[in-house]
Amino acid sequence: MSTTSHSLDPDAVRQLVERVWDESILPELIEYVRIPNKSPHFDADWKANGHMDRAAEQIEAWCRARPIPGLVVERVELEGRTPLLYMEVPGASDAETVLLYGHFDKQPEMEGWRDDLGPWKPVVEDDKLYGRGGADDGYAAFASLTALEALTSQGVPHARCVLLIEGCEESGSFDLPFYLEHLRERIGTPNLVVCLDSGCGDYERLWNTTSLRGMVGGTLSVKILDEGVHSGDASGVVPDSFRIARALLERLEDADTGRLRPSELHVEIPADRRRQAERAAEILDDRVWTKFPFHGDATAMGESLTERVLARTWHPALTVTGAAGLPTLANAGNVLRPQTALKLSLRLPPTLDAEVAAKVVRELLEREAPYGAAVSFQGAESCDGWNAPPLVPWLEEAIDAASNTYFGAPSAAMGEGGTIPFMGMLGEEFPEAQFLITGVLGPMSNAHGPNEFLHLPTGKRVTSAVAGILDAHARQAGIRG
């Protein structure tokens, strides 16, 4: 790296980022979208199928070619685990370390894509790249290195930077702890963590994610018969397994309001998070809920915009994401089915212990089974949420300055409803670290669903903003080259 220290020129940052995105990142992301590298939970044969390796190899090759002095790119693969890309860029001073994070595994296809779109079919339209995984979050490795390239091209010093790009995030990052342990000495002790795997309330400013919900997932199974029987003969005597499942879910969730009943699944929401939710509601107005593709006259839950923000960031919620034991409509004869299984996904408040929540849910569903049915809640997996430590003044100022410089509007902060297991792991591992958690998943981008897209102008602005924040980090640390 150059030892000559210069002030960062925002216009030069914009120009370089624009050029690299248009000439290099977008073509790479188009090819990346074509790869069906589903996370291990959704592709048990991921290794044999080779898609994960293809994605890792593609990103690795691009990263190795970047003109960043001293850049080290290494693909690490522990036995039986998804690959991880480890990168390191030396700093003008190695006394401080910044850790930048992303992932390259993807969610499964999901139904409902527009006829001219598809999960593995990249389409660029109206400043959007459609297809699975570009925004969530294949762009992260490209954006992180481009931000560093913007600094080095101007001779602007920065701290030592480590990049971790994993292949297991969409499955709960169950491989990541092994890599953190394996690479512990090489990673060092980061005092700033930058994660580009989160959302944004709109595309008009830089959003900092201040909390993430935890999760409990599992399968509720209800079996009442050994085989199906004629519904006309048995109904009224044999209870329907679906009705039993409904009754069990009612123990957990008020069907009229959607509120989860057990008090153990709720927490006191911190005052500062309420204030952030109020400001986010003021900024977004009806976009708090109209960003979702409601059908016809359908509307949202919640009595106020602020409560809707808090409902998706701090309140527990239940979603049934799949079912078994139900034939297709075309094959649904007059049969009382022997069993029903429902895949449950519960989002948890950021500060709630997920293992405790899993125990509460299992005991609630399995106790005193109606009619003596065989009831189980199996495969329960839990993941803690995360509540960010308060921002130190320099970082708060740097985030706002980057937003004003590269977006033209002040920054905003808000919790997110999803889960990034890495954050909880890092928060526990490095309790003194500061966090910038941001991303490009804004209105209608529909991560995990059909018609997912990456808003390209936001990708560019986030990249530029990261460069500005890395510069601010170096300046506050006294790194001058």
Side-chain angles (χ1 to χ4, degrees), residues 189-193 386 388-390 395 426-427 429-435:
T189 305
N191 54 19
L192 175 63
V193 175
W386 175 78
L395 182 54
L426 262 290
E429 187 84 7
F430 306 113
E432 302 302 316
Q434 287 283 290
F435 291 83

Side-chain angles (χ1 to χ4, degrees), residues 274 277-278 280-282 285-286 288-289 299-312 315:
R274 283 193 175 274
E278 289 169 359
E282 290 175 2
D285 197 45
D286 281 350
V288 167
W289 66 277
T299 191
M301 301 184 292
E303 297 181 357
S304 72
L305 295 176
T306 297
E307 282 305 308
R308 286 169 177 168
V309 172
L310 292 172
R312 62 174 288 273
H315 292 176

